[in-house]
Amino acid sequence: MATEVKVPTLGESVTEATVGEWLKQPGEAVAADEPIASLETDKVAVEVPSPVAGIIGEFTVELGDTVEVGSVIARIEEGDGAAAKSSPAPAPAPAAAKGDAGKADTASEEEIANLPDEKSGDGSVTMSPAVRRAVLEHGVDPTTVKGTGKDGRLTKEDVLNAAKAKGSSSPAPTPAPSPSPAPAPSAKGERRVERVKMTRMRQTIAKRLKGAQEEAALLTTFNDCDMTAVIEAREAYKDVFAKKHGIKLGFMSFFAKAACLALKDVPAVNAQIDGDEIVYHDFVDISVAVSAPNGLVVPVVRSVDQMSFAEVELAIADYGKRARDGELTMEDMKGGTFTISNGGVFGSLMSTPIINPPQSAVLGLHRIEDRPVAVNGEVVVRPMMYLALSYDHRIIDGREAVTALKIMKEAIEDPMRMLIDL
């Protein structure tokens, strides 16, 4: 008798998701509570575990389908999986021979489907469709590549990195002399177009950001900040800090604590509009923008105003790791009264960040670069960073926004202010 696999509860107010990846295939053995599928919700990826041990019978939905909570996506047949395990998985398709000019660059769907899915003793490796295609196109043996994804699964980046390493370590082949003319090279300037369906997360990001532009009266105020004091503090205490707390002392904790000072002094920047009311918060929950495989996510560090520098750094590092591994939950993303986005890690010099509704403000950080500035009547070179505070002008006046950003700037330029609450 087959057991149905249903879409689990995805989180508060989340009723549907998209089938993003099958982690098992029909005919394969599965243990109880072992993930068989990955669903993409508006914010995070959710794995669907098997309710029982047995054999994957059939999928009732297709990859990319939208499914609702409680709907059936697969069936598990009774059995211990002996039959499935006894049959070796099909060997990976051989890589294209070097110098084979006639080989097509794009793998066929049949070749991709024939690649193994389940990691087992015979050397086969769990791969998503995108990873399978990359394996075939680049001629990489997946059993020789260490996966960095969740549970050691291969990612497309792993395959591309392996292909680059393979290319750099292999000497260029010497062409054999031949009286016949060489095959004509491909036409220069060849142009290709690829259509890829937006993930549910990317669709939600697009919808929310566009909605923020249409709903809020967005405005951005700028300032620049001398990072000398923070850099010197990090340099002086980084070793002791890391030894005591087991985490590096970064810039984000300084800006998070500086933001707490500003939000306490200017409550409107930490507030939000709810209908015809303004909701003020006496706590600071900061949404920290981090990069995930499927897009930018903003997990919430709660009660930052009550945390130490080490606690802030540990929380952010944990969220960053879980975002890369696809382990963030809906609860991690819920709430938040203010957002900090650090585009400087990607090299951004200046930007106008968009608020994260229903929040009313977001602080944008940028890269640090040496610039000449006037100090006490003299031109000196200092490590400077542009700060940008985007805000909803419906609730925050220009004076309040400028004041809040100025408080953050002063706290960074004189970190002692954060210690004595100035």
Side-chain angles (χ1 to χ4, degrees):
M1 181 177 179
T3 301
E4 295 180 337
V5 180
K6 298 182 179 180
V7 177
T9 301
L10 302 172
E12 184 179 353
S13 75
V14 180
T15 60
E16 62 182 22
T18 300
V19 181
E21 181 181 1
W22 293 114
L23 306 179
K24 291 284 187 177
Q25 295 298 321
E28 293 182 349
V30 62
D33 296 325
E34 184 178 1
I36 66 169
S38 177
L39 304 181
E40 294 178 354
T41 68
D42 293 348
K43 296 181 178 180
V44 295
V46 178
E47 290 187 339
V48 180
S50 172
V52 296
I55 304 295
I56 301 292
E58 63 173 342
F59 297 144
T60 59
V61 294
E62 299 291 334
L63 199 66
D65 284 356
T66 297
V67 293
E68 296 183 349
V69 173
S71 61
V72 178
I73 61 172
R75 291 185 174 85
I76 307 296
E77 304 289 347
E78 294 181 353
D80 58 5
K85 292 181 180 179
S86 62
S87 301
K98 295 181 180 179
D100 185 1
K103 179 68 177 177
D105 291 334
T106 304
S108 68
E109 296 299 328
E110 181 179 358
E111 289 175 312
I112 294 172
N114 286 334
L115 276 175
D117 293 289
E118 176 63 15
K119 188 173 182 181
S120 62
D122 61 8
S124 55
V125 181
T126 300
M127 291 181 290
S128 67
V131 175
R132 297 186 202 176
R133 184 180 296 277
V135 165
L136 284 172
E137 292 182 351
H138 295 279
V140 174
D141 182 357
T143 61
T144 63
V145 182
K146 183 178 180 180
T148 61
K150 185 175 181 181
D151 297 329
R153 290 198 289 269
L154 286 181
T155 66
K156 186 176 180 181
E157 289 72 20
D158 294 333
V159 176
L160 296 179
N161 290 336
K164 290 179 182 178
K166 179 180 177 182
S168 61
S169 61
S170 301
T174 303
S178 173
S180 58
S186 58
K188 292 183 178 180
E190 181 180 2
R191 309 197 311 170
R192 297 182 180 180
V193 175
E194 181 181 7
R195 290 182 179 269
V196 180
K197 185 178 180 180
M198 294 173 68
T199 64
R200 175 172 290 273
M201 182 183 294
R202 176 52 60 185
Q203 293 178 46
T204 301
I205 291 173
K207 185 184 300 182
R208 285 174 60 85
L209 294 182
K210 185 59 180 174
Q213 286 184 317
E214 294 175 348
E215 178 72 15
L218 290 178
L219 191 62
T220 304
T221 184
F222 298 94
N223 213 322
D224 59 356
C225 180
D226 186 345
M227 298 291 292
T228 301
V230 169
I231 291 174
E232 290 177 348
R234 288 184 67 211
E235 189 63 29
Y237 299 110
K238 64 179 182 181
D239 294 335
V240 177
F241 188 91
K243 182 177 180 180
K244 180 175 181 179
H245 301 292
I247 188 71
K248 291 182 179 179
L249 178 59
F251 290 124
M252 189 61 78
S253 56
F254 284 93
F255 281 102
K257 300 301 288 185
C260 289
L261 288 181
L263 301 182
K264 291 293 186 179
D265 284 356
V266 189
V269 183
N270 196 42
Q272 64 188 48
I273 294 178
D274 184 9
D276 59 356
E277 297 178 333
I278 298 177
V279 180
Y280 293 95
H281 306 94
D282 66 352
F283 53 87
V284 179
D285 289 352
I286 296 182
S287 302
V288 181
V290 296
S291 181
N294 292 332
L296 198 69
V297 293
V298 280
V300 180
V301 182
R302 306 185 193 282
S303 299
V304 179
D305 51 321
Q306 304 296 322
M307 300 174 72
S308 66
F309 278 66
E311 288 171 333
V312 173
E313 293 291 353
L314 287 167
I316 294 174
D318 178 62
Y319 278 140
K321 180 180 182 302
R322 289 165 58 192
R324 291 189 297 272
D325 294 342
E327 297 177 349
L328 288 177
T329 66
M330 298 296 294
E331 189 63 27
D332 295 329
M333 319 284 285
K334 183 179 177 182
T337 62
F338 183 75
T339 294
I340 298 179
S341 178
N342 186 7
V345 297
F346 304 109
S348 172
L349 176 64
M350 186 180 291
S351 67
T352 56
I354 300 177
I355 65 173
N356 179 25
Q359 298 173 20
S360 299
V362 53
L363 175 66
L365 309 182
H366 303 90
R367 77 170 186 250
I368 303 170
E369 63 176 7
D370 290 339
R371 291 202 301 270
V373 294
V375 178
N376 297 326
E378 296 182 357
V379 176
V380 296
V381 176
R382 293 289 177 86
M384 305 296 293
M385 176 194 287
Y386 286 117
L387 305 179
L389 183 70
S390 291
Y391 59 99
D392 187 348
H393 213 340
R394 296 177 303 164
I395 182 175
I396 303 172
D397 294 332
R399 175 184 60 83
E400 294 173 314
V402 172
T403 300
L405 189 59
K406 184 172 179 288
I407 292 173
M408 298 180 206
K409 165 189 168 70
E410 292 174 345
I412 294 298
E413 294 183 338
D414 183 8
M416 184 62 70
R417 288 173 171 267
M418 288 181 271
L419 298 179
I420 59 178
D421 195 17
L422 289 179

